[in-house]
Amino acid sequence: MALFQYFPNYVWNLSLAIALESGAKIGEIVDMCAPLLDAAERGEDAGTPAFMAQWVAMAERLSGLADEDEARGRLFSAGEKLKRASLYFAVAERMQGHGHPGKAETYSRQLASFEKGTRFAGESAERVEIAYEGKTLSAIWTRAPGAANGPSVIYCNGLDSTKELLYFSGLPQALAKRGISTLSVDQPGTGEALRLQSLPATHESERWASAWVDWLETQPEVDPKRIGMTGISLGGYYTPRAVAFEPRFAAGAVWGANHDWAEVQQKRLRREGENPVPHYWGHVHWVFGASDMDDFLEKSKGMTLDGVMERIKVPFLVTHGEKDRQIGLEYAHKSYDQLTNAAKRELKIFTEREGGVEHVGADNMAFGKDYIADWFADTLGGKLG
């Protein structure tokens, strides 16, 4: 497998891979991870407090160095350090179970470091909010340079990502280069929506996706006839569902198919396939606002795309890694095969020839990022070079 195998378990290696693909520096990775090898031997759950301690310490070191840069007026340099601090806070927080001591504080520090870091770095990463069901939803708005009445894409999380990790994936920047603006969203069950607004996940993704389409239609940079949607990991369920039920979308693409997530839960109960995060069952109960396993299974049972894909009439792209250890390749074929009414459909399987064979390209996100960005440029009228 192409995933960097530093630790003796998949879940810890996945977090490490996410960091490396999101802008981490290898020397900092070694400094954080070398003291954790013994803790990792105790299993994917037991050693997570030690993981947090090491990654938070590195984030704090970078924050201190950024303060020194700021004091000398070197804001670009400070911004780069703060962005990495935000990434390390994010990965540390992601590895902890719900209610773990320090989890909430670490998340707050991730948000603050990201905002200041991207601002100092001069990047297009504006935090925006909308009202939603009596609370608020937040997103990061990345404008394409010189955008005016241009295409845009809503980019949603999976089960355990955040809008900041979406930004760090590089897809918003790849789309911006192609003339497409991106809205990276914390939908219910993720990021701020879950942690600060207590909004649990819903299988009816069109509810929150439509609210963001409403917002996009008010933006002068956006052509309301050229709005697409994409999602990563569990976003491979949320995106097709939203595109199927929201007629204003002009196109859709998934970075990792997730055709029948309800069925995947039955497989995980049988210990088939890998989990994405430690403390998995506690995490999904939190995400869905479930009181116990029966309640969770009831709330997530609607998360299948059978009978949904056929409703999609616009162009749609399904991508998947051929050696995905979380979500089987058969789900990509199911989603593609059921796109019987799409104006255009495409299936892209990433193989060892190029890379990106693991779950959402955790081994190499460059190929998925560029392929999806090129496809949207082709489909929505962006630039290819």
Side-chain angles (χ1 to χ4, degrees):
M1 296 295 180
L3 197 69
F4 183 39
Q5 305 283 356
Y6 190 87
F7 293 117
N9 65 74
Y10 171 85
V11 175
W12 284 43
N13 287 326
L14 180 65
S15 284
L16 178 54
I18 289 169
L20 286 168
E21 289 298 303
S22 300
K25 297 300 181 185
I26 190 64
E28 293 165 357
I29 288 287
V30 170
D31 286 349
M32 291 186 290
C33 292
L36 295 173
L37 287 170
D38 289 342
E41 293 286 353
R42 298 198 295 271
E44 63 187 43
D45 293 349
T48 56
F51 190 104
M52 172 180 272
Q54 291 295 328
W55 285 61
V56 166
M58 179 59 73
E60 290 175 338
R61 183 195 307 178
L62 287 167
S63 297
L65 292 168
D67 288 343
E68 295 173 14
D69 286 336
E70 182 181 1
R72 301 182 70 178
R74 297 176 175 177
L75 300 188
F76 289 155
S77 294
E80 293 302 319
K81 294 179 180 68
L82 286 168
K83 285 193 301 173
R84 292 206 307 283
S86 176
L87 172 62
Y88 298 157
F89 281 134
V91 175
E93 189 267 353
R94 179 184 172 278
M95 284 281 285
Q96 309 309 307
H98 176 48
H100 178 85
K103 182 177 175 72
E105 179 189 0
T106 302
Y107 180 70
S108 177
R109 296 175 78 178
Q110 176 228 309
L111 292 177
S113 298
F114 181 88
E115 188 283 324
K116 191 174 183 180
T118 52
R119 176 163 47 86
F120 279 3
E123 297 182 3
S124 179
E126 177 188 358
R127 185 182 184 279
V128 297
E129 283 187 354
I130 59 171
Y132 176 79
E133 298 187 358
K135 298 188 178 183
T136 61
L137 293 177
S138 60
I140 298 167
W141 181 225
T142 301
R143 294 181 178 86
N149 197 39
S152 61
V153 168
I154 294 173
Y155 183 20
C156 76
N157 288 314
L159 175 71
D160 49 78
S161 53
T162 65
K163 64 185 183 301
E164 293 77 26
L165 288 174
L166 294 181
Y167 181 85
F168 287 139
S169 75
L171 181 58
Q173 297 82 349
L175 287 166
K177 185 183 293 187
R178 291 160 175 81
I180 303 171
S181 300
T182 305
L183 191 67
S184 303
V185 303
D186 275 342
Q187 75 266 16
T190 68
E192 290 188 49
L194 177 65
R195 291 160 175 80
L196 303 183
Q197 299 292 319
S198 299
L199 284 166
T202 172
H203 77 279
E204 296 173 328
S205 53
E206 68 275 13
R207 286 164 50 186
W208 49 263
S210 294
W212 280 117
V213 173
D214 292 343
W215 182 86
L216 283 171
E217 288 186 332
T218 69
Q219 304 307 303
E221 304 95 332
V222 173
D223 179 351
K225 301 297 185 184
R226 292 191 288 163
I227 297 174
M229 183 169 175
T230 191
I232 196 164
S233 191
L234 189 52
Y237 165 80
Y238 290 127
T239 294
R241 167 83 194 201
V243 173
F245 286 89
E246 171 48 77
R248 290 174 292 176
F249 280 118
V254 297
W255 197 347
N258 222 317
H259 189 87
D260 196 334
W261 197 71
E263 183 177 75
V264 169
Q265 304 320 296
Q266 298 301 321
K267 292 182 178 182
R268 287 177 175 165
L269 284 170
R270 298 193 297 268
R271 297 184 178 273
E272 297 176 16
E274 297 284 1
N275 291 337
V277 290
H279 318 283
Y280 178 75
W281 295 110
H283 183 81
V284 295
H285 292 177
W286 176 43
V287 166
F288 282 83
S291 57
D292 54 27
M293 184 66 77
D294 289 341
D295 189 27
F296 162 66
L297 294 175
E298 176 65 25
K299 287 179 175 178
S300 62
K301 72 178 183 181
M303 299 190 73
T304 175
L305 294 172
D306 286 338
V308 173
M309 300 302 292
E310 296 90 341
R311 296 176 61 105
I312 296 174
K313 297 180 180 179
V314 297
F316 205 94
L317 167 69
V318 177
T319 76
H320 209 80
E322 72 170 355
K323 295 186 176 180
D324 190 321
R325 286 182 266 177
Q326 289 187 46
I327 307 297
L329 181 57
E330 67 272 15
Y331 291 113
H333 290 287
K334 279 188 177 182
S335 287
Y336 176 76
D337 290 344
Q338 292 179 23
L339 280 168
T340 52
N341 295 308
K344 177 180 71 172
R345 63 176 180 168
E346 183 175 344
L347 175 64
K348 172 61 179 175
I349 305 301
F350 294 103
T351 69
E352 288 188 338
R353 176 174 177 267
E354 62 231 303
V357 300
E358 291 278 359
H359 185 64
V360 297
D363 56 302
N364 189 335
M365 296 181 78
F367 292 102
K369 164 181 67 79
D370 288 340
Y371 199 95
I372 292 169
D374 284 340
W375 186 88
F376 273 121
D378 272 333
T379 304
L380 296 177
K383 300 178 292 186
L384 289 170

